[in-house]
Amino acid sequence: MDIVFRDVEHRYQMNTPFEKRALYDIHMDIPNGSYVAVVGHTGSGKSTLLQHLNGLLQPTKGTIHLGNYTITAGKKEKHLKPLRKKVGIVFQFPEHQLFEETVEKDICFGPINFGMNAEEAKARVGEWLALVGLPEEVRHKSPFALSGGQMRRVAIAGVLAMDPEVLVLDEPTAGLDPRGRKEMMDMFAKLQRKKHMTIVLVTHSMEEAARYADDIIVMHQGTIVRRGAPEHIFRHVDDLISLGLDVPEPVLFQRAIEQKFGVQFHAPCLTMEDVIKNLQTLFTRVKRI
Amino acid sequence: MEVVVRVENISFQYVNEQTYALQHVSFQVYKGEWVTIVGHNGSGKSTLAKLLIGLLPATSGTIHVCGIPLNEQTVWDVRERLGIVFQNPDNQFVGTTVQDDVAFGLENRGVPKNEMVKRINEALKKVGMENFINDEPHRLSGGQKQRVAIASAIALQPNIIILDEATSMLDPSGKKEVLQVMQSLRRERDMTVISITHDLNEVAKADRVIVMNKGKIALEGTPKHIFAHGSKLEEMGLDLPFPLQLSQRLKENHIPITTDHLTIEGLVSELWTLYSAMSNTATK
């Protein structure tokens, strides 16, 4: 499902004294099957943007194409339910939305709501648990008896159970420990390959954006200010810092080396391997003088 | 040095759980120290914080805070001396305005009105939120909310503040705001900070680190000492700081770094010394 935004604007509380422009001039294409990271400072409009991806919010100006659906400002859309099945949003701290008595019931809630019969949903719970790396044993447990990381996986399984074509993730690793973070991110990468999903990741972690996304969108004060592959985005470090963003540590290290040594590496170092390679070149060269 | 927290042989078991969440945990915290407690999710860190402020009673063992043995009778005295800021900024507001929120704890303790107003203003000034006195807490940014939560805690003039993953839900600038406020409070008021965190850069700056694993203290010492355990930390699900990992990888790749650096500056400067020495010999 291709996603296309044309000149999208969103104002909260239109025509009231509290009117506030949260998004403007959004032109964006997310081709089917891509992995896009949306980064930006708190208040840059990331969350407002992502709520447009399944019609939870509708634009106050402009047009959004989501596969065969078109949402145009000013027209009330009534038939968005099927769209919401195709675009699954995993909100921040999704474990706060768990409510059922058992993991099985919680995961089945979504698909049954969208018309799957209860027997079929139950039969598929094992498959959904496996997708998020949870053991079959948790099926009949209360979701509230699980650890934080496991609860989050149950919530994500509930979204995957609707078989979405697009998975939107809002800070999916917030509050997890380093191992939990890596496992979670690897799981999404695997899902994308296995199910050919489109992934839109909203994150504060520039490391995650650099490592997992093919494409990075940088938001600032309600609009898109940069867009490109990680190698392109992290070429302009000072630029990112001035936008209030973090820079991945390999890139920071590279900058410190370049300043101290008075050299310039030909591309941004996004991983530790890149850094080591460049340093080796630097040190081999000096041996040969 | 004055001991402000003394934990002796603490164990704790949740109702209906087979295993102990904490097992024979003992440690001390000294006045003015910044101690970080690290460990993977489920290692017992947050349980420990709850025991320290008396939200949960220990199954066995004793806790002393500023010399007071913690028990049902003394829990309110202990909480005078120990403030806590929790992870989720949205879960710790009771007031409808910022100042009402800070006032809540003071009212509970029957602080006289004049004194209360003075303390609220002081506390909000300390965290740089004095211009938001009448704002609604839910309209603030995450970093601002956590700073108000800190103000609520320090208005009670505690000796110790516990940060229970207090920056983990914040963006980078929010994190910075909160940590800066805590650093300055520590300097000015000689406050002790116990910080439960996953943030490696914060750990690297602590005076002392306690590593929890499966309900026990696995390691304890300065950041340098702790990170020297390398792979052992990784086995416990923890990360190593980037400069340290890089130092080790460079050694493996025949760039003869002599120390495991905790900062980028340190590593860059050793590389530069090495580079200069090599280019000198090369030109000779």
Side-chain angles (χ1 to χ4, degrees):
Chain A
M1 183 166 112
D2 294 327
I3 299 170
V4 179
F5 278 54
R6 285 290 169 263
D7 195 25
V8 168
E9 176 195 84
H10 189 88
R11 288 174 190 264
Y12 285 109
Q13 309 192 48
M14 272 269 264
N15 307 322
T16 76
F18 304 105
E19 181 174 319
K20 190 176 170 271
R21 186 178 71 174
L23 282 183
Y24 68 98
D25 282 355
I26 303 287
H27 291 272
M28 155 175 106
D29 293 81
I30 301 176
N32 187 29
S34 55
Y35 194 141
V36 179
V38 180
V39 300
H41 192 249
T42 310
S44 60
K46 300 187 303 272
S47 300
T48 308
L49 179 76
L50 80 84
Q51 289 178 70
H52 282 80
L53 290 171
N54 73 352
L56 278 178
L57 287 179
Q58 297 184 18
T60 51
K61 195 181 134 194
T63 309
I64 301 172
H65 302 279
L66 300 155
N68 297 327
Y69 294 85
T70 302
I71 302 176
T72 308
K75 284 191 202 159
K76 262 252 178 285
E77 287 303 328
K78 287 187 189 121
H79 307 289
L80 291 177
K81 201 173 165 188
L83 172 68
R84 297 202 173 119
K85 186 178 172 297
K86 290 190 173 172
V87 181
I89 300 190
V90 177
F91 285 101
Q92 257 185 61
F93 295 91
E95 59 275 23
H96 294 169
Q97 300 171 25
L98 297 172
F99 68 101
E100 274 287 12
E101 288 161 19
T102 67
V103 168
E104 181 182 80
K105 282 188 187 170
D106 212 297
I107 295 178
C108 290
F109 178 78
I112 291 174
N113 219 5
F114 277 111
M116 191 184 280
N117 80 49
E119 287 315 305
E120 188 193 347
K122 265 188 198 166
R124 290 188 59 191
V125 166
E127 173 194 331
W128 295 321
L129 284 173
L131 277 180
V132 296
L134 282 174
E136 182 66 34
E137 294 99 84
V138 301
R139 180 193 281 254
H140 298 293
K141 278 195 183 172
S142 157
F144 302 101
L146 304 176
S147 77
Q150 286 178 320
M151 281 167 73
R152 188 167 300 180
R153 281 164 194 264
V154 172
I156 293 168
V159 174
L160 292 174
M162 289 178 276
D163 230 350
E165 292 171 30
V166 181
L167 190 60
V168 182
L169 306 162
D170 190 3
E171 297 275 356
T173 61
L176 297 182
D177 62 21
R179 184 190 288 166
R181 242 176 271 162
K182 187 167 181 302
E183 283 174 359
M184 191 66 75
M185 291 309 295
D186 287 345
M187 176 182 97
F188 294 131
K190 218 167 95 189
L191 277 173
Q192 191 217 5
R193 283 194 302 270
K194 205 165 149 188
K195 300 220 141 202
H196 308 289
M197 268 183 212
T198 306
I199 293 194
V200 181
L201 167 75
V202 174
T203 183
H204 283 308
S205 162
M206 298 303 262
E207 263 88 13
E208 282 173 7
R211 182 175 287 268
Y212 293 96
D214 318 316
D215 211 3
I216 298 179
I217 290 175
V218 184
M219 304 268 310
H220 187 62
Q221 293 179 349
T223 199
I224 295 174
V225 290
R226 302 279 178 281
R227 166 103 199 230
E231 300 78 37
H232 171 74
I233 294 290
F234 293 114
R235 206 178 274 273
H236 311 284
V237 178
D238 295 305
D239 206 34
L240 293 175
I241 294 173
S242 73
L243 293 173
L245 296 172
D246 257 359
V247 175
E249 287 191 286
V251 179
L252 274 184
F253 182 81
Q254 170 185 8
R255 189 166 79 133
I257 286 283
E258 288 178 338
Q259 281 169 355
K260 188 93 178 176
F261 285 62
V263 293
Q264 197 153 22
F265 296 167
H266 62 278
C269 299
L270 298 182
T271 64
M272 195 175 296
E273 281 62 40
D274 293 343
V275 172
I276 294 169
K277 228 178 277 160
N278 277 296
L279 281 176
Q280 277 177 326
T281 322
L282 200 64
F283 276 79
T284 331
R285 215 182 295 146
V286 70
K287 278 186 203 153
R288 277 203 223 108
I289 297 175
Chain B
M1 267 203 295
E2 190 186 329
V3 175
V4 288
V5 176
R6 186 191 301 277
V7 173
E8 281 168 309
N9 210 13
I10 281 285
S11 296
F12 180 79
Q13 192 174 20
Y14 284 98
V15 183
N16 298 331
E17 285 290 327
Q18 303 288 313
T19 52
Y20 277 84
L22 289 174
Q23 249 179 327
H24 306 297
V25 171
S26 301
F27 64 93
Q28 295 179 353
V29 179
Y30 301 97
K31 191 174 179 192
E33 248 192 323
W34 186 302
V35 175
T36 60
I37 301 180
V38 299
H40 60 84
N41 293 117
S43 61
K45 302 177 310 253
S46 293
T47 306
L48 185 59
K50 286 181 189 139
L51 288 172
L52 286 175
I53 56 162
L55 277 179
L56 292 172
T59 312
S60 64
T62 57
I63 296 174
H64 285 80
V65 176
C66 302
I68 307 170
L70 173 63
N71 57 44
E72 245 174 88
Q73 282 78 45
T74 61
V75 67
W76 291 102
D77 296 329
V78 165
R79 287 190 197 159
E80 299 260 303
R81 289 160 179 83
L82 201 89
I84 188 162
V85 180
F86 292 102
Q87 178 181 40
N88 190 336
D90 293 316
N91 285 353
Q92 39 200 326
F93 285 107
V94 284
T96 47
T97 65
V98 165
Q99 66 174 343
D100 283 358
D101 200 76
V102 180
F104 182 75
L106 298 166
E107 279 175 334
N108 268 346
R109 283 166 179 78
V111 175
K113 171 98 194 281
N114 291 344
E115 170 75 8
M116 200 156 83
V117 172
K118 202 179 112 218
R119 285 216 217 164
I120 293 171
N121 289 330
E122 256 178 31
L124 286 172
K125 210 166 170 182
K126 270 274 158 334
V127 300
M129 290 296 289
E130 68 273 29
N131 296 328
F132 295 84
I133 277 190
N134 290 313
D135 279 46
E136 294 171 42
H138 74 267
R139 291 194 183 268
L140 303 175
S141 76
Q144 291 172 330
K145 283 177 188 166
Q146 289 299 61
R147 282 190 281 152
V148 173
I150 293 174
S152 302
I154 63 173
L156 302 170
Q157 305 180 334
N159 307 66
I160 307 151
I161 284 211
I162 301 177
L163 303 174
D164 187 1
E165 299 193 36
T167 62
S168 70
M169 287 176 72
L170 305 182
D171 67 3
S173 61
K175 255 179 211 167
K176 236 174 261 164
E177 283 169 27
V178 168
L179 292 177
Q180 272 165 2
V181 163
M182 289 310 303
Q183 288 288 7
S184 75
L185 281 171
R186 188 163 79 119
R187 270 196 310 275
E188 288 163 29
R189 300 200 177 178
D190 213 5
M191 209 177 267
T192 308
V193 181
I194 301 175
S195 174
I196 296 172
T197 184
H198 291 308
D199 182 349
L200 290 174
N201 293 317
E202 194 200 320
V203 176
K205 285 183 199 137
D207 297 319
R208 205 149 52 91
V209 185
I210 293 173
V211 184
M212 300 288 301
N213 189 36
K214 294 181 186 154
K216 292 181 182 164
I217 293 183
L219 297 165
E220 190 181 340
T222 60
K224 232 188 161 94
H225 169 85
I226 295 294
F227 287 127
H229 285 86
S231 56
K232 199 165 160 190
L233 291 175
E234 285 174 330
E235 280 163 31
M236 288 189 263
L238 299 172
D239 249 352
L240 295 174
F242 175 82
L244 185 112
Q245 286 186 43
L246 184 57
S247 304
Q248 294 173 345
R249 292 289 310 278
L250 286 175
K251 268 184 261 179
E252 291 162 22
N253 283 283
H254 314 294
I255 296 180
I257 294 292
T258 55
T259 30
D260 289 341
H261 292 276
L262 290 183
T263 62
I264 286 185
E265 295 77 39
L267 178 53
V268 169
S269 116
E270 193 184 346
L271 281 168
W272 176 243
T273 314
L274 203 63
Y275 185 79
S276 316
M278 280 168 75
S279 57
N280 275 337
T281 21
T283 36
K284 271 175 201 165

